[in-house]
Amino acid sequence: MEKKKKGRILSGMRPTGKMHLGNYVGALENWVVMQGEFENYHLIADYHALTTNPDTSEILENTLEMVADWLAVGINPEKSPIFRQSQIKEHAELHLLFSMLITTARLERNPTLKEQVKDLNMESLVYGHLGYPVLQAADILLYKGNVVPVGEDQAPHVEITREIARKFNATYGEVFPIPKTKLTTFARLPGLDGNKMSKSVGNTILLSDEEEEIKKKIRKAITDPQKIRRGDPGRPEICLVYTYHQRFNSTETEEIFKNCKSGALGCVDCKMKCASAIADAISPFTEKQRYYSQHFGEVLDVLKDGEQRAGAVAADTMKEVRDVMSLG
Ligand code: TRP
């Protein structure tokens, strides 16, 4: 018999296209582990993507590329439905009802929004962007998610979700659980330039990169600026490449630390070891990755199936919502 599951997890990501190592270490790896313990729902936040870019011409392709990588790393769509927010109309419906239960002042206080405004140099916001966390609350609560695995930047959104759930339950009747945030515990994997790994910055290693490509990229990665040539003692504790070794090459890290410190190991050799270790770490995914990226039709079928199953759950919740609100 199937083990009793501990609850429901709702995880989501905007459709950003091919996945990189940061996505893997920060999220996907976790999702794969959790699918045995919990009932998982994997949402593609394609409406959320429109809050910062209304251009829809690449959304489908980005979605398929992303999902091909999810499948390659081991997300099992039979256990855990994968679905697009935009294909289940209840997301829009619940978002509207929730938008009556939170003030604009509360949404303007959202620290993640403030940071985005600063980072993207935005002069003003579209209305939907202010409501970003309200849509996210609908995503989570439609499936009665108990646990939401997110990075730190998303924690304020789960807090808003909790507030909306409490407010709804107090106003109309108990429908929703109060979900918990599960913060990803490991430090974020930095990109090749030492900043946050991100597609828009162009400092990523992709899960679909071949070993040669990884080598080329790692060759350009920053290292200890004081170690100029082999023989110079290095400081692995501040070196980006050493961080990658720690994560992807644990059996050799001790030796690399020692030999970098003493100067015996030069940066070029160290980088090549690192590139091979990364290539080895992602090699179990390569075959499936290639397969799915050449069979987008099958990826789309996975989505359609997930949308049917998730849609049934969403419809049930929405019926309950309408009943307690006397909107039946
Ligand atoms: N806002 C999330 C992000 O940018 C994506 C997201 C949308 C999400 N809906 C969600 C995450 C529901 C968790 C649960 O990363």
Side-chain angles (χ1 to χ4, degrees), residues 18-34:
K18 291 183 181 155
M19 297 281 92
H20 54 64
L21 282 183
N23 297 130
Y24 180 65
V25 170
L28 300 178
E29 191 179 35
N30 233 357
W31 296 3
V32 173
V33 174
M34 289 186 304

Side-chain angles (χ1 to χ4, degrees), residues 10-14 43 45 48 85 132 135-136 139-140 148-150 153-154 157:
L10 194 295
S11 43
M13 212 184 269
R14 278 176 290 184
L43 171 132
H48 277 113
Q85 192 184 36
Y132 188 109
L135 180 58
Q136 193 160 340
D139 296 342
I140 295 165
V148 188
V150 285
D153 64 314
Q154 295 294 312
H157 295 168

